[in-house]
Amino acid sequence: MTAEAHIFRLDAVSKRYGVTVALDNINLSVERNEYVSLLGPSGSGKTVLLRTIAGFETPDEGRIEINGRDVSSLPAHERGIGFVFQNFALFPHLSVADNIGFGLANRNDPLPHDEIVDRVSDIIKLVGLEGLGARGVGQISGGQKQRVALARTLVTEPKLILLDEPLGALDANLRGRMRNELRAIRERLGVTFLHVTGSETEALAMGDRVIVLDRGHIAQFDHPDHVYSKPATPNVAKFLNRYNMFDGSISGSAFKSEYGDLAFIQKTKSDHPAYAVRYDRVAVDSDGSAGKGPSLPANFIASEYLGSSIMYFFEAIGGKVIEVEHHLSHGAPKTFEPKKSYRLRWKPEDAIVFG
Amino acid sequence: MAVPAKTSSTTAWWLIAPGVIWMTLFLVIPILMIVYVSFWTQTTFKIESTLTLASWQQFFASDTYITSLFTTVRIWLIVLIATLVIGYPTALYVGLFVKNKTLSTILLVICVIPFWTSFLIRVLAWRPMLGKEGAINIILQKFGIISAPIEALLFTELSVIIGMTQIYCVFMVGPIAFMLGRIDPNIIEASRDLGAGFWRIFRKIIFPLSLPGVVVGAIFVSVMVLGEFATASALSGRKVNLLGNIIVTQVGSLKWALASVVGVILTIVMGIVVALFLRIVDLRREL
């Protein structure tokens, strides 16, 4: 693959704050015209990584290349990137149109006034803010502010746009709508989006590819369905919030846990042994006997109705909560008696084992 | 909703009542009294409530008084500009460039420390600084920059301006630093990311956002400088007479009517100045 196929590339980038390692030897390259989401729990270094690519932070080591050009020592505005802030960071004293036109009017080689007006009105149409150009940014809704923040960056025609938790400040309804819009806008313009989020559903739903960051290093960089069904490390499985995780160790062909030996078929190499099984791969059996395949006894606690599925919560020995998801398309929900013991079982091929 | 509405308006009335009573007793009534007294008849040893324009005519017929009106306005303008020129960069440093909140608070407190000494001492301390054999002259002579001491430093309009600028500068720094400290750092990063250089960011983002602070600071400084008399009498050797000095002199010789005339004129000048500043920004919206 040639260098030009990449919109940006990080080469052994590290960043420390005192003794804390924020970024640990990051190697990453992202292709043009791609929607990449960057997932990580708080403190994993995802915002630092984004700010380092943008040029708001300087890495201690390593090289950053954008558009095939080494930008490691260039300031933010010379990197040809756009940045969308979590709190939008709109200019509070300017109108919507002046906010959007700011970059064109105030860069070192400002565009002529007429051209700014044309380009601003084009982008206002593109993001769906018609008729709001003259409004103050204090007089528009959260979703509209988000659009202004995006338009302000898009109008300067960057090839790479970095979004720092862009949907975090919006309410749930709006978040869903803006997800679709962000994807649609990106596809229309053919730019690359790097979208930082702490929400696993958002990361999986939006990214063409997903980067999972864990304590300053990249744990996995793959298509969302691979990340979801084949997490590369126990921590990735944990972040996804879709797996029941068990501690223990591998011994021969079984995984030794406090619930006895759990069978599995394949294992993934990892320094930290763990046994994971997805919520929706666990079946509930009212017959308490062990039978065939991996299983464990647990008491029913409560259930939660989610519309298309229902979540059952069970308590295993030692107080560990085990979640079971039942898709309603697979049949009517079952009712379980609280505090009664059931047996949870799954197929050995559904287990993901690290060790 | 009639009942809650009534309750809330009653509550509102009780909340503003202390303020209204206080302002009426100690602001509105005294101002009306001053206006009234300015039309009283003044004789050498007493004052009568017979209405006359005599004191007003006396003020506008006198070159001394008219000159002092212009001196007051001139010194106010110079001090205002000086406090802004010195205060704004200071505020910019304290409010924006110092990222550490504790450090910026400490720096602001340092600005306020001179206020722990009495006003008169602060003013008089300028005498050994600016005098013919004062610190500044001695230092300049030691370094051979001047051969004879500069006498214009003390007991001139310049010394009054230096003294006032030093005393009132902090009232400019405070409000501006406050407004600058409220600017979201992301906004400045965003404008930098959009390609704007430092001066553009300052002109288009930082300065407009700090303007309410400038206006509040300017109002503080203006009101205090226009009503000043102590700095002028201590540092000008009675050569600079502001409207405030005339009021002090007239009250001292029991000329209540003329003192009231000057008081009314001073109040009108301050009213115009404050009104002009408030036209620049809508403070209620900005704060």
Side-chain angles (χ1 to χ4, degrees):
Chain A
M1 205 169 272
T2 58
E4 284 72 35
H6 296 118
I7 183 68
F8 76 90
R9 193 211 306 262
L10 302 187
D11 200 3
V13 169
S14 293
K15 171 92 188 163
R16 276 171 221 93
Y17 295 100
V19 290
T20 333
V21 179
L23 299 177
D24 182 14
N25 193 24
I26 300 267
N27 290 291
L28 174 68
S29 63
V30 167
E31 281 159 41
R32 278 172 200 286
N33 199 1
E34 196 178 18
Y35 202 124
V36 178
S37 40
L38 176 55
L39 170 67
S42 57
S44 60
K46 56 189 192 297
T47 296
V48 179
L49 179 57
L50 201 69
R51 292 175 59 86
T52 305
I53 298 170
F56 297 139
E57 308 278 347
T58 329
D60 298 326
E61 284 155 42
R63 221 171 94 90
I64 300 167
E65 218 174 75
I66 294 175
N67 243 336
R69 194 166 59 116
D70 182 2
V71 298
S72 308
S73 53
L74 290 183
H77 63 273
E78 285 174 32
R79 294 191 176 192
I81 49 108
F83 199 97
V84 176
F85 291 83
Q86 181 171 14
N87 64 354
F88 312 139
L90 301 181
F91 307 125
H93 58 301
L94 299 180
S95 69
V96 167
D98 287 343
N99 259 279
I100 296 173
F102 186 88
L104 301 179
N106 291 292
R107 60 191 198 192
N108 288 330
D109 51 335
L111 287 183
H113 180 74
D114 293 347
E115 202 181 332
I116 295 176
V117 172
D118 286 350
R119 281 173 62 174
V120 167
S121 78
D122 286 350
I123 207 87
I124 279 183
K125 257 179 237 133
L126 179 86
V127 299
L129 287 169
E130 287 104 324
L132 298 176
R135 290 259 188 103
V137 291
Q139 299 166 295
I140 57 175
S141 70
Q144 288 163 343
K145 281 183 188 160
Q146 167 75 80
R147 277 167 236 236
V148 175
L150 191 63
R152 183 174 71 176
T153 287
L154 289 174
V155 80
T156 63
E157 298 181 340
K159 286 280 158 262
L160 170 65
I161 295 186
L162 310 173
L163 305 103
D164 187 9
E165 309 214 20
L167 306 180
L170 305 178
D171 63 56
N173 250 329
L174 208 51
R175 215 161 28 223
R177 279 222 316 274
M178 283 310 295
R179 269 192 205 171
N180 298 335
E181 261 184 65
L182 279 179
R183 283 188 66 90
I185 289 169
R186 193 207 68 75
E187 270 161 36
R188 239 174 293 164
L189 294 174
V191 292
T192 300
F193 274 24
L194 180 62
H195 176 140
V196 159
T197 174
S199 149
E200 65 285 349
T201 35
E202 196 172 295
L204 295 172
M206 304 202 63
D208 297 322
R209 289 202 290 164
V210 179
I211 302 169
V212 187
L213 209 59
D214 177 16
R215 285 166 303 176
H217 65 263
I218 294 174
Q220 194 166 8
F221 181 20
D222 211 335
H223 296 281
D225 55 332
H226 286 175
V227 173
Y228 185 70
S229 54
K230 293 190 179 66
T233 71
N235 275 342
V236 173
K238 218 177 278 169
F239 302 155
L240 290 172
N241 241 336
R242 309 290 305 160
Y243 284 88
N244 293 305
M245 310 282 297
F246 303 100
D247 296 330
S249 60
I250 293 177
S251 134
S253 62
F255 187 88
K256 288 206 175 302
S257 76
E258 57 179 311
Y259 309 101
D261 286 1
L262 301 172
F264 65 92
I265 295 186
Q266 277 188 319
K267 73 167 184 166
T268 311
K269 192 97 191 80
S270 166
D271 295 338
H272 307 281
Y275 188 103
V277 60
R278 233 160 77 185
Y279 297 162
D280 59 347
R281 298 295 162 106
V282 181
V284 184
D285 202 340
S286 4
D287 171 20
S289 66
K292 263 178 29 178
S295 72
L296 58 88
N299 296 330
F300 178 68
I301 314 171
S303 66
E304 196 176 289
Y305 178 66
L306 295 174
S308 61
S309 65
I310 192 160
M311 295 293 296
Y312 299 113
F313 300 92
F314 289 86
E315 189 180 5
I317 306 151
K320 184 178 173 59
V321 173
I322 299 188
E323 296 178 48
V324 177
E325 183 177 14
H326 176 79
H327 291 282
L328 294 175
S329 55
H330 296 165
K334 295 176 200 145
T335 46
F336 302 114
E337 265 178 65
K339 292 189 179 149
K340 206 185 146 196
S341 180
Y342 293 89
R343 192 154 268 276
L344 307 179
R345 49 176 106 247
W346 54 89
K347 294 178 189 149
E349 60 265 36
D350 283 337
I352 296 175
V353 175
F354 304 96
Chain B
M1 295 305 281
V3 176
K6 189 171 175 235
T7 316
S8 78
S9 82
T10 317
T11 314
W13 200 91
W14 280 111
L15 285 174
I16 60 161
V20 168
I21 293 167
W22 182 270
M23 294 299 255
T24 312
L25 281 179
F26 300 112
L27 186 75
V28 178
I29 293 177
I31 285 179
L32 293 175
M33 273 305 292
I34 291 171
V35 175
Y36 183 42
V37 171
S38 75
F39 292 102
W40 284 10
T41 306
Q42 178 87 55
T43 58
T44 316
F45 295 112
K46 61 178 181 182
I47 187 164
E48 286 164 358
S49 60
T50 324
L51 297 183
T52 170
L53 283 173
S55 301
W56 284 89
Q57 283 159 347
Q58 192 192 342
F59 181 90
F60 285 105
S62 156
D63 271 350
T64 318
Y65 298 152
I66 298 297
T67 309
S68 93
L69 174 60
F70 284 116
T71 308
T72 307
V73 171
R74 186 176 63 244
I75 289 189
W76 158 66
L77 273 175
I78 295 172
V79 172
L80 183 65
I81 291 165
T83 50
L84 187 63
V85 167
I86 297 168
Y88 199 97
T90 312
L92 199 60
Y93 181 75
V94 172
L96 207 64
F97 284 66
V98 177
K99 300 276 181 236
N100 185 325
K101 285 282 164 207
T102 323
L103 183 59
S104 91
T105 311
I106 290 171
L107 290 174
L108 268 184
V109 170
I110 289 173
C111 290
V112 183
I113 281 180
F115 284 78
W116 296 354
T117 58
S118 107
F119 179 86
L120 220 56
I121 291 174
R122 260 179 294 141
V123 173
L124 290 175
W126 276 106
R127 284 197 186 176
M129 281 289 286
L130 299 172
K132 195 176 162 190
E133 281 156 24
I136 291 176
N137 273 323
I138 291 175
I139 292 168
L140 289 179
Q141 278 175 299
K142 272 258 155 63
F143 284 97
I145 298 165
I146 52 167
S147 50
I150 308 170
E151 293 194 34
L153 280 181
L154 188 59
F155 300 134
T156 55
E157 201 170 297
L158 178 66
S159 55
V160 176
I161 290 166
I162 292 175
M164 284 192 183
T165 304
Q166 185 259 323
I167 291 165
Y168 298 117
C169 205
V170 68
F171 294 99
M172 191 62 101
V173 174
I176 299 175
F178 173 75
M179 285 309 289
L180 289 171
R182 294 200 333 171
I183 297 178
D184 175 5
N186 283 345
I187 285 178
I188 294 166
E189 276 185 352
S191 53
R192 197 172 294 149
D193 178 53
L194 291 168
F198 177 79
W199 284 110
R200 286 273 180 171
I201 297 175
F202 179 76
R203 220 155 43 93
K204 296 292 185 72
I205 308 291
I206 296 174
F207 187 73
L209 289 176
S210 70
L211 203 53
V214 174
V215 167
V216 170
I219 289 174
F220 281 169
V221 171
S222 301
V223 169
M224 285 184 288
V225 169
L226 286 169
E228 251 276 24
F229 63 91
T231 313
S233 56
L235 293 181
S236 79
R238 308 237 164 211
K239 275 181 238 157
V240 174
N241 277 304
L242 305 177
L243 289 180
N245 297 96
I246 293 176
I247 297 178
V248 173
T249 319
Q250 296 301 324
V251 169
S253 52
L254 302 178
K255 298 279 191 288
W256 296 102
L258 190 65
S260 298
V261 169
V262 182
V264 172
I265 289 171
L266 201 49
T267 310
I268 292 170
V269 171
M270 287 185 192
I272 293 170
V273 167
V274 172
L276 285 178
F277 278 128
L278 289 179
R279 284 185 73 99
I280 300 178
V281 288
D282 183 352
L283 278 186
R284 207 143 41 128
R285 195 171 59 94
E286 299 290 344
L287 299 172

